[in-house]
Amino acid sequence: MPAPPHVATLLGELTLEEKASLCLGSDFWHTAPIPRLGIPAIALSDGPHGLRKQPDEGDHVGISGSLPATCFPTASALGSSFDPELTRRVGEALGVEALAQGVAVVLGPGINIKRSPLCGRNFEYFSEDPLVSGVLGAALVEGMQSQGVVGASVKHFAANNQETDRLRVSADIDERTLREIYLPGFERVVTQARPWTVMCAYNKVNGVSASENYWLLTELVRDEWGFEGLMVSDWGAVHDRVAALAAGLDLEMPPNLGVSDAALVAAVRGGELDEAVLDRAVERVLRLVDRAPSVGVDVGEGTKPGFDADAHHALARAAAAECAVLLKNDGDLLPLQLSAGDTVAVIGEFARTPRYQGAGSSRVNPTRIENALDEIRAKVPDGVRVEFAPGFGIGTTDDELAAEAIALAGRASTVVAFLGLLEADESEGFDRTSMDLPANQTALISRLAAANPNLVVVLANGSAVRLSDWEHHSQAVLECWLSGQAAGGGAADLLIGAANPSGRLAETLPLRLEDNPSYLNFPGEHGHVRYGEGVFVGYRGYDALGLPVSYPFGHGLSYTSFDYADLTATVTGIAEDDTLTVAVTCMVTNTGKRPRKEVVQLYVTDPESSARRPPRELKGFTKTTTLAPGESQTVTFHLHTRDLSYWSVRQHRWVLEGGPFRLSVGATSRDLRLTTTIEVSAPPLPVQLDSMATLEEWLAHPVGSGLLREAIGVDEHGQPRGILGDEELIRVIGNFPIIRLAAFPGLGIDHTTVDHLLGRLPPQ
Ligand code: BGC
C-alpha cells in the first residue's frame, strides 16, 4: 500500500536521528513526537478488558494507578460467552473509552492459547481452541476499532503460553502444531479484523526471540497474512534493536532512550542496516500516528470519564451474566425458588469483596463495583432474609469464621457459597503450581454441605480450578470466571433467575492437573519448553486419550433444554480451485420452560487421514438468538477447504485429503447430538519419487507402480518376479527406500533398475 502523500513527504524531511527516534517510544506509553514537523505523540494503553490509562508518564513499570474505566469481563469470561456479537459490543465500549481518554491504541486482546491451566495469564486469554480465540479476538478488535480513530494491538505474538521465564524461554513447537493451534487465532484476527498493530511476544519461538524473528514478524504476518499495520514490542521485549528492526519490529516500547536510537543510527551509518528498512518502519509509525488524528491529548487525573459510565456498566453486567457457565444443577436447585420466610445463607468473602479481574498490566481502576451480596439482597422477593457470613479469611484459616458460616448454613433454606482463587494465586508474571482452590475454602465446602445439602457454589477465578475433590458436596456450581466490575450483579441475576445461563466452557476442566496434555512439558526447564503434546491441546488431547474429565470443552447447562434436529450437509465446489464449500444446517428448539440462547458447536472428524488428527475439532459455532420456550431456529455453518485440512510438514502447506468426513453438531465436544458423513474429493497428494522413496511409495504411485512392475517383469507363468511375487516380503521390507533394496539379491531390483526407473519418471 503506497504511503499517503503527506506521510511520504514527512519521510523525506526527517533526519536520520529523527527517523531512529520514531522507532522508539518517547516514554512508557507514548510514541515520539517531532514538533519541528508537527508530528504528535500518540498514547498506547492496556487493555484488554478495560482501559488502564495512566496519568502523566505512568509509574515506569506501568502497574500502578490509572484513570477510572469500565472493567469488563476478562477474556477467560468473554471466551465462555461464545458470543462474537457481545464481544464486539464490549470492544466498541472500549474504543469509546479509549477515545474519551485520549488513547490511540488499546493493548489487547491477548489471544494466546490456554495450553496449560497453570498459565498465570489464562484470565487474559479466551480459550484452548484457536477458532474460539480467533473469532472472539476478531470481534473485540472490530469493536475497538469501530471508532475509526482507535486501534487495537493483538498480543502476544506468538506462543506466549506461560509466564515462567517469559522473557527468555524458547517455545519449541513443531511446524504443524504452530500452524494448527498457536497461529490460526492470530491469522484470523489479522486477516479479518485488520488490527492497527500487533504486539510481539517476550519469548523465543524455536530458539529465536519473537522480537527478532524475521519469519514471524515479516514472512508470516506480512507476506503471508497481508498485515499492513505496525508491529510493536511487548514492553521490554527488545534485546537487539537493530536485529529487531531488520526482523520487522517497527516500534520499541518502552524506549531504551539513548541506546536503541543510537544503535539504529550507527547501524545505518555503518552500512549494517539498510536505511530503506528503517524508512519502512518509520512509515508505519507515521501512518499509525496519522490514523489517530484526535488523540494524543492527556485528559489528566480527575477529569470526568467522557463516556456513558452507566451504559457501560450496564453492558458489563449483561456481559457478566452472559459469560457465566452453569457447570452443574442437580435437582434444578437453580434458579433459587424463594418465598417469604425463606433464609438464604450467602457465605464467602468474595460475595462482599468480589474478585473480578486479574493482576498485572491489565488491572483496571473500575468506575464502580457491584458485589453479589447487595445485588442478591436487592433482588429477592419480599419476606426473604439474606444473611451473610464470610466463612473464610482471604488467605487465612479462621475457625471462628467457619463455625459462624456453618451455623448460618444450618438454619438457612439454601446456601450460596462464593469461592475462588485469591489475587495472589494467579497473575501476570508467574504461573500457578496447582489447580486447587485454597485449602480453607475446600475444607469449608464439606462442612457447609453437612449442615445444609442445598448448597450452590459460585466460583470466581481466572484460570481453571480443580473441582473433582469437592464438587460432589454441592448441588449446583456456577463458574463466573473474573467477570468484571459488574460480576456481582451478573451472578445475582443468574442465581435469582432474572437471566438464564448460556455460557459454555472454552476450556476443558480436567479431573486432575496431571491429565492435562501439556502436563509433562510445562513450563519446561533450562530455557526451553517443549510443546510435546503437539496438536493434542485441550479437548483435542483429552478426547484422543478418552480421558474422563470433570466437564468437557463446550459444556454449560441452563434453566431450559434444547433439542437438535434435521442436520444437513451439502457439498458444492471443488477443492482444486478452492471453491469447496460445505453448507451445514441444523434446527435447534427450546424444549424447556425458559427463554435462552443456545451455543451450537460444529465438530469435524477426518476418520481416514494419513496424518494423526484429533478425534474432533471445532470448526464452527454459533450462539442463537434468545429462543422462547417451543421456539426453533435453524443455524447454518459454512466450511471451506481449510476447515477440513491439516498442515502437512512434507509440503509445508494445508492439505486436504479426499474421503469421508464426519460432521457433528452438539452441545459439547462430548455431547454430539447429530452426526452426518460427507464425501469430499480432492486431488491425490503428490508423492515425490526418488531413490529414497520406499518400495511401498513406488507401488502406491500412479506412474511409479507401473514402471516398477514393468522393470521387474513377470515369469513364464505371468506371475510377478522377485519381491513383487512375495507379498509377505513386501510387508516386511516394503518400507525400505528402493535404493537400499538394490543390495539385496533376488528381489529383481539392482542399481541399474533404479537408475532406469528414475530416468523414466515424468517431471514431478
Ligand atoms: C505485558 C503486555 C502489556 C504491556 C504494557 C507487558 O508486561 O506483557 O501485555 O500490554 O506490559 O503494560
Side-chain angles (χ1 to χ4, degrees):
M1 202 171 45
H6 62 286
V7 167
T9 313
L10 282 176
L11 200 54
E13 291 176 11
L14 289 164
T15 64
L16 177 60
E17 285 74 10
E18 285 169 339
K19 287 182 195 171
S21 77
L22 281 168
C23 295
L24 282 62
S26 59
D27 63 34
F28 211 80
W29 297 120
H30 295 92
T31 59
I34 310 279
R36 175 179 85 79
L37 296 172
I39 300 170
I42 61 166
L44 302 89
S45 277
D46 286 303
H49 48 266
L51 265 198
R52 192 169 66 91
K53 172 82 187 340
Q54 296 197 303
D56 310 314
E57 280 187 15
D59 57 3
H60 300 288
V61 284
I63 305 290
S64 74
S66 55
L67 302 177
T70 312
C71 180
F72 290 98
T74 62
S76 60
L78 274 180
S80 292
S81 76
F82 275 71
D83 189 338
E85 257 329 294
L86 172 81
T87 308
R88 188 171 289 111
R89 274 172 32 227
V90 169
E92 276 165 21
L94 287 167
V96 167
E97 295 196 19
L99 184 56
Q101 298 201 1
V103 169
V105 176
V106 181
L107 303 176
I111 57 165
N112 297 97
I113 292 291
K114 295 183 203 228
R115 175 174 176 244
S116 161
L118 298 183
C119 172
R121 261 182 126 167
N122 271 358
F123 71 91
E124 281 190 66
Y125 301 143
F126 291 105
S127 179
E128 68 188 18
D129 178 82
L131 181 71
V132 177
S133 306
V135 168
L136 298 184
L140 202 67
V141 170
E142 283 166 0
M144 283 176 182
Q145 298 193 164
S146 62
Q147 296 306 305
V149 288
V150 172
S153 193
V154 181
K155 64 190 188 183
H156 309 91
F157 186 58
N160 182 179
N161 309 101
Q162 66 185 53
E163 294 300 282
T164 305
D165 205 14
R166 64 174 162 159
L167 274 93
R168 300 183 307 181
V169 72
S170 172
D172 296 340
I173 316 177
D174 67 82
E175 178 186 338
R176 179 173 164 213
T177 301
L178 262 174
R179 291 291 190 159
E180 292 191 18
I181 305 291
Y182 295 98
L183 295 175
F186 288 101
E187 181 180 1
R188 182 178 290 272
V189 179
V190 165
T191 54
Q192 179 186 319
R194 308 209 161 270
W196 286 17
T197 78
V198 170
M199 184 193 292
C200 81
Y202 283 131
N203 49 283
K204 302 186 182 95
V205 179
N206 291 326
V208 183
S209 290
S211 64
E212 292 171 20
N213 199 313
Y214 185 77
W215 175 72
L216 267 183
L217 304 192
T218 297
E219 291 181 344
L220 184 70
V221 78
R222 293 196 186 278
D223 302 347
E224 244 185 73
W225 299 347
F227 176 58
E228 291 181 337
L230 172 133
M231 184 67 65
V232 60
S233 70
D234 198 347
W235 266 233
V238 174
H239 311 288
D240 175 336
R241 186 65 190 98
V242 176
L245 192 98
L249 194 278
D250 304 309
L251 179 63
E252 174 187 324
M253 293 298 289
N256 265 304
L257 290 172
V259 177
S260 291
D261 39 359
L264 290 175
V265 170
V268 171
R269 293 235 163 89
E272 298 134 39
L273 181 68
D274 186 347
E275 190 163 354
V277 176
L278 178 65
D279 285 355
R280 221 166 38 212
V282 173
E283 187 190 312
R284 291 185 193 127
V285 175
L286 293 176
R287 278 172 192 270
L288 179 73
V289 172
D290 202 44
R291 291 174 101 171
S294 58
V295 294
V297 189
D298 267 326
V299 289
E301 207 166 5
T303 308
K304 289 220 170 73
F307 56 87
D308 187 342
D310 291 340
H312 286 190
H313 181 79
L315 173 60
R317 179 165 177 154
E322 200 73 25
C323 297
V325 184
L326 182 61
L327 295 176
K328 155 177 183 175
N329 194 17
D330 291 353
D332 290 337
L333 186 59
L334 290 178
L336 299 172
Q337 309 294 323
L338 300 170
S339 34
D342 288 343
T343 297
V344 182
V346 173
I347 311 276
E349 187 55 50
F350 294 129
R352 188 170 59 176
T353 315
R355 255 216 88 211
Y356 60 95
Q357 65 173 330
S361 62
S362 67
R363 188 201 301 275
V364 175
N365 175 12
T367 58
R368 73 189 73 161
I369 298 174
E370 276 174 3
N371 73 53
L373 180 58
D374 290 346
E375 295 299 320
I376 293 171
R377 283 196 167 126
K379 277 196 158 304
V380 292
D382 289 345
V384 173
R385 288 168 62 87
V386 178
E387 291 189 40
F388 172 71
F392 54 87
I394 301 293
T396 63
T397 307
D398 187 323
D399 291 340
E400 268 179 40
L401 290 180
E404 178 202 6
I406 289 153
L408 170 57
R411 60 175 191 272
S413 19
T414 311
V415 181
V416 184
F418 285 80
L419 309 179
L421 293 177
L422 311 183
E423 191 163 294
D425 292 338
E426 52 177 348
S427 167
E428 176 178 344
F430 61 88
D431 295 315
R432 292 187 299 165
T433 51
S434 120
M435 287 183 70
D436 295 342
L437 280 176
N440 60 351
Q441 296 184 32
T442 44
L444 184 66
I445 300 173
S446 55
R447 298 176 68 192
L448 289 175
N452 189 332
N454 293 335
L455 173 61
V456 179
V457 171
V458 179
L459 289 172
N461 44 284
S463 325
V465 294
R466 179 177 179 200
L467 298 104
S468 54
D469 52 339
W470 57 263
E471 66 157 325
H472 52 282
H473 295 301
S474 66
Q475 283 199 48
V477 180
L478 183 66
E479 172 59 87
C480 293
W481 305 109
L482 299 180
S483 48
Q485 66 183 47
D493 289 344
L494 293 166
L495 292 169
I496 305 292
N500 193 345
S502 65
R504 296 304 182 88
L505 288 178
E507 62 186 298
T508 312
L509 301 183
L511 285 173
R512 20 169 244 157
L513 173 66
E514 293 85 335
D515 293 340
N516 178 261
S518 76
Y519 178 71
L520 291 175
N521 291 297
F522 184 95
E525 61 274 306
H526 305 156
H528 288 268
V529 51
R530 202 169 68 84
Y531 285 41
E533 70 283 6
V535 297
F536 295 94
V537 175
Y539 69 90
R540 289 166 165 80
Y542 297 111
D543 290 355
L545 293 170
L547 282 176
V549 297
S550 283
Y551 294 102
F553 177 84
H555 172 78
L557 304 175
S558 72
Y559 305 149
T560 187
S561 52
F562 282 86
D563 181 55
Y564 289 55
D566 303 336
L567 176 63
T568 68
T570 315
V571 183
T572 53
I574 51 170
E576 278 85 343
D577 63 4
D578 214 16
T579 55
L580 183 88
T581 303
V582 188
V584 183
T585 65
C586 112
M587 194 170 75
V588 285
T589 305
N590 184 343
T591 51
K593 296 198 173 65
R594 286 168 177 265
R596 190 240 197 185
K597 300 169 183 169
E598 174 72 346
V599 176
V600 184
Q601 301 155 41
L602 173 64
Y603 293 92
V604 171
T605 303
D606 181 353
E608 291 183 2
S609 178
S610 67
R612 184 155 194 165
R613 298 182 70 171
R616 65 198 72 89
E617 296 182 83
L618 187 75
K619 294 296 175 183
F621 65 88
T622 211
K623 198 163 191 171
T624 65
T625 53
T626 302
L627 297 178
E631 196 182 346
S632 299
Q633 186 174 326
T634 298
V635 294
T636 305
F637 304 94
H638 289 103
L639 298 176
H640 302 284
T641 311
R642 166 86 176 260
D643 298 312
L644 307 176
S645 305
Y646 67 91
W647 181 267
S648 162
V649 292
R650 268 201 181 153
Q651 321 254 339
H652 307 294
R653 65 174 175 87
W654 294 99
V655 159
L656 172 66
E657 288 179 346
F661 284 84
R662 276 202 301 275
L663 310 179
S664 308
V665 285
T668 84
S669 81
R670 295 186 176 190
D671 178 10
L672 307 175
R673 303 286 177 85
L674 302 166
T675 296
T676 187
T677 301
I678 53 166
E679 196 64 34
V680 170
S681 58
L685 284 183
V687 174
Q688 202 65 23
L689 284 189
D690 55 20
S691 63
M692 283 302 283
T694 65
L695 175 65
E696 283 162 350
E697 286 168 351
W698 277 86
L699 287 173
H701 192 276
V703 178
S705 167
L707 293 176
L708 181 64
R709 289 179 193 285
E710 194 186 316
I712 294 186
V714 292
D715 63 16
E716 64 275 21
H717 308 296
Q719 296 302 314
R721 287 184 201 278
I723 190 168
L724 295 188
D726 188 339
E727 284 188 11
E728 199 181 328
L729 194 56
I730 293 178
R731 274 204 300 278
V732 177
I733 56 175
N735 58 5
F736 272 48
I738 197 157
I739 194 70
R740 292 282 83 80
L741 296 180
F744 289 57
L747 300 186
I749 299 170
D750 58 19
H751 287 278
T752 317
T753 321
V754 175
D755 287 346
H756 168 77
L757 287 172
L758 293 175
R760 294 194 57 200
L761 274 178
Q764 304 183 67

